Amino acid sequence: FEEDQSRAHYNNGTTMKFSLIFIIASEAILCSNAFVPRSMQRAPVVAFMSDAPSDSSDDNVVLTVDAVPAGTQLVDNVMNELPTGLLSVTKDTRTKMNEALLKLESSNPTPEPTLSALLNGVWELKYAGGYTDEWAIPSPTRQAALFLYSGGYSPGLFALALAQQLPSQLVDVGDLEISISRSQPRVEATVGVKLLGGSQNKVVVKARLEVESAARLTETYESASVVGNNVDIPSNLQYSREMYVTYLDEDLLVVRDASGVPEVLVRKG
C-alpha cells in the first residue's frame, strides 16, 4: 500500500512539474514575440504525442514547430500590393488588390467591426479601388456620374479633390489622413497644404457616421473647410453613402461602398 502511495505521489509530482515547465515555456514564447515586429512573428504550433505505444521512453513529448499565421500572411499580401499613390491605380494593381483583399476579408478577426473601439483612431487612406476607365467614353460628366451612381467618393478623396483644385503653382498638397472619433461628426478627413511663402494650412471635410448594423455604416457629408474658408453643407444637399466594414484589426481597416469598391486604410503612428 505504501509503495502504491509513493508511486502515485511520484506520478502527481511529475505531472505538476511537466505542467509548470509547459506554462513557463509558453510564457517565454509569448514574451519573445512581444519584441518581434508583427510581420516577423511566428505562432508556435504545439502537437502532443498520441496515446499509442512508441519507442520513446517518455510518452509526454511536446513538438514545437514554427509556422506563419494565416492572418499575418494575408495582411502582408495586401500591404505588398498597395500602390505608391492614391491616384496611381492601374488595372494590374486593381486586379492584384482585389484578389488579395478577398482572401483577407474572409479572415476578419473582428466579428462586429462597426461596434468595435478599434474603428476609432487616425488612419491613412492607402488605396481606393475606383473604377477602370477602359470601357468609358471620354466625357466631362463621367466622374460626376460615377460619384452619384456608384457609391461616391469617401470624405478623404473628396478632401483630396478639393485640395487639388487649388492652383498648383501656389499650393503644395500634402498627405491625407482620416480621423474617426466617438463624437459626431465622427469622420474628419484632412489634407495638409503648404501655401506659397511657406505658411501651412489644410483642407478638411467632416462627415457623420451612423451605425446601421454590425457591418454596415452610413456616412453623410456635413461640412468642408478649404484653407480657412468654412462651408456648412445644407441638409438637402448633404451627400451620404452606405459602406461595409469587411476587415478590421489593430492596424488595418478595409471598407467597401454599396457597389463593392474597396478602400484600404492603415492606422497612423
Side-chain angles (χ1 to χ4, degrees):
F1 176 74
E2 291 180 355
E3 182 179 353
D4 291 340
Q5 278 189 323
S6 298
R7 184 178 296 106
H9 179 73
Y10 172 78
N11 289 336
N12 289 338
T14 302
T15 302
M16 291 179 63
K17 287 179 182 179
F18 173 76
S19 299
L20 182 60
I21 292 172
F22 177 73
I23 292 172
I24 294 174
S26 299
E27 290 292 334
I29 292 172
L30 291 175
C31 290
S32 65
N33 277 343
F35 297 95
V36 179
R38 176 179 175 178
S39 62
M40 296 177 61
Q41 289 184 10
R42 298 292 181 265
V45 177
V46 179
F48 290 89
M49 298 297 290
S50 67
D51 295 332
S54 69
D55 294 333
S56 172
S57 60
D58 186 357
D59 289 338
N60 295 321
V61 178
V62 178
L63 302 178
T64 302
V65 181
D66 285 341
V68 179
T72 299
Q73 185 61 60
L74 293 174
V75 170
D76 289 344
N77 291 344
V78 170
M79 298 298 290
N80 291 336
E81 297 297 343
L82 288 175
T84 55
L86 285 173
L87 303 180
S88 58
V89 179
T90 64
K91 178 182 177 181
D92 184 58
T93 299
R94 189 176 290 109
T95 298
K96 291 179 178 179
M97 283 297 297
N98 279 334
E99 291 176 346
L101 286 173
L102 287 173
K103 294 177 182 178
L104 176 69
E105 289 164 331
S106 65
S107 67
N108 180 23
T110 308
E112 297 182 331
T114 64
L115 305 176
S116 173
L118 289 174
L119 191 63
N120 299 326
V122 181
W123 302 87
E124 292 182 276
L125 182 61
K126 292 293 188 180
Y127 174 75
Y131 295 84
T132 177
D133 56 5
E134 293 181 351
W135 55 269
I137 299 174
S139 167
T141 61
R142 182 168 60 84
Q143 288 299 325
L146 288 176
F147 182 84
L148 291 173
Y149 296 113
S150 68
Y153 297 122
S154 68
L157 290 179
F158 185 44
L160 186 60
L162 289 176
Q164 290 176 334
Q165 295 302 313
L166 299 172
S168 58
Q169 66 272 23
L170 301 178
V171 175
D172 183 19
V173 178
D175 295 329
L176 165 66
E177 68 177 35
I178 297 173
S179 176
I180 303 177
S181 63
R182 291 181 295 178
S183 302
Q184 298 288 7
R186 290 183 64 186
V187 177
E188 182 174 298
T190 304
V191 178
V193 294
K194 184 177 181 180
L195 306 179
L196 184 65
S199 61
Q200 301 287 335
N201 216 305
K202 57 187 177 181
V203 173
V204 180
V205 173
K206 295 183 178 181
R208 296 194 306 275
L209 197 63
E210 305 285 353
V211 175
E212 304 294 346
S213 72
R216 179 167 55 94
L217 298 164
T218 297
E219 191 175 53
T220 305
Y221 289 19
E222 191 170 87
S223 65
S225 174
V226 182
V227 194
N229 298 311
N230 299 321
V231 179
D232 289 326
I233 304 174
S235 58
N236 62 323
L237 297 178
Q238 290 181 354
Y239 170 78
S240 66
R241 67 167 186 161
E242 284 188 340
M243 62 181 187
Y244 300 82
V245 182
T246 58
Y247 184 89
L248 175 64
D249 66 16
E250 294 85 354
D251 304 308
L252 193 66
L253 169 62
V254 181
V255 300
R256 290 183 181 269
D257 68 16
S259 62
V261 174
E263 295 173 11
V264 177
L265 300 93
V266 176
R267 194 180 301 276
K268 188 173 182 180

